Amino acid sequence: IDRVQFAEVAAAAGVTRQLVYRFFPSRQALIMAVLEDYADDITRRFGHGAARSIPGNLDEVTRVFVEAVCETIEAKGAGPWELLDSKGPDPEVARRGQEIQERIVAPWRARIAETLGVSRREAAILARMIVAAGRAVLELWYNGPLSREESVRAATRGVSALLQAFSVKKGTRSRSR
């Protein structure tokens, strides 16, 4: 965040610094706008992917979502993706990034609770675990050790395993096995 320079942003956009300042009066405002744009892009890509495949189960939905995140990272870079979970030097950017990440994940919690028959609280915990696991795998992709295909496959398997571990079967938790 500290390395963002308005002169570089203006040059990359082919506009003057004054024009950048007109729309973004501070570095923080610029970063917040980038985060919002990133979240909107992920949401749009996920919606398009879901509409194309009409997924019927959580594995398929997960795959479509992971693909949407990958497409957004390829199109816009990994920086904003990292900022969505930032605990960095600017507390306001960190708070806003976490709010945006929460907004992206919110629809999943209800579906997890409904599909698995768990409480909303358990669904919220599980959603956080899923996001953390997915982030770890995607980082291996955009930093190089895994291909995109391997990353998508591993993230989908990991999410499926977490979902299965939390699923309710005949009144008992499968994790008590």
Side-chain angles (χ1 to χ4, degrees), residues 29-73:
L30 175 65
I31 298 297
M32 301 277 198
V34 167
L35 290 175
E36 287 290 344
D37 177 67
Y38 209 77
D40 290 347
D41 196 53
I42 289 171
T43 302
R44 182 183 54 75
R45 290 173 191 273
F46 176 60
H48 284 21
R52 278 194 313 269
S53 63
I54 314 288
N57 63 48
L58 284 172
D59 287 351
E60 292 169 355
V61 172
T62 300
R63 186 173 202 48
V64 170
F65 183 76
V66 172
E67 289 285 357
V69 171
C70 289
E71 289 169 10
T72 304
I73 290 171

Side-chain angles (χ1 to χ4, degrees), residues 117-129:
V118 298
S119 70
R120 289 180 183 253
R121 181 176 167 83
E122 287 177 303
I125 292 166
L126 183 54
R128 284 187 68 98
M129 292 168 58

Side-chain angles (χ1 to χ4, degrees), residues 39-158:
D40 290 347
D41 196 53
I42 289 171
T43 302
R44 182 183 54 75
R45 290 173 191 273
F46 176 60
H48 284 21
R52 278 194 313 269
S53 63
I54 314 288
N57 63 48
L58 284 172
D59 287 351
E60 292 169 355
V61 172
T62 300
R63 186 173 202 48
V64 170
F65 183 76
V66 172
E67 289 285 357
V69 171
C70 289
E71 289 169 10
T72 304
I73 290 171
E74 286 176 335
K76 298 183 179 247
W81 173 251
E82 291 289 329
L83 286 175
L84 288 178
D85 195 39
S86 172
K87 294 171 182 61
D90 186 322
E92 184 60 26
V93 170
R95 184 189 63 72
R96 188 70 186 129
Q98 290 172 2
E99 283 175 2
I100 292 168
Q101 179 174 281
E102 177 65 22
R103 186 176 74 218
I104 293 169
V105 173
W108 288 80
R109 284 195 315 272
R111 176 117 189 236
I112 289 167
E114 178 185 323
T115 302
L116 300 181
V118 298
S119 70
R120 289 180 183 253
R121 181 176 167 83
E122 287 177 303
I125 292 166
L126 183 54
R128 284 187 68 98
M129 292 168 58
I130 288 168
V131 168
R135 283 184 153 295
V137 174
L138 290 177
E139 186 178 320
L140 292 173
W141 162 61
Y142 61 74
N143 285 331
L146 291 181
S147 70
R148 177 177 161 167
E149 168 93 20
E150 291 170 314
S151 181
V152 169
R153 189 172 48 247
T156 303
R157 279 189 201 150

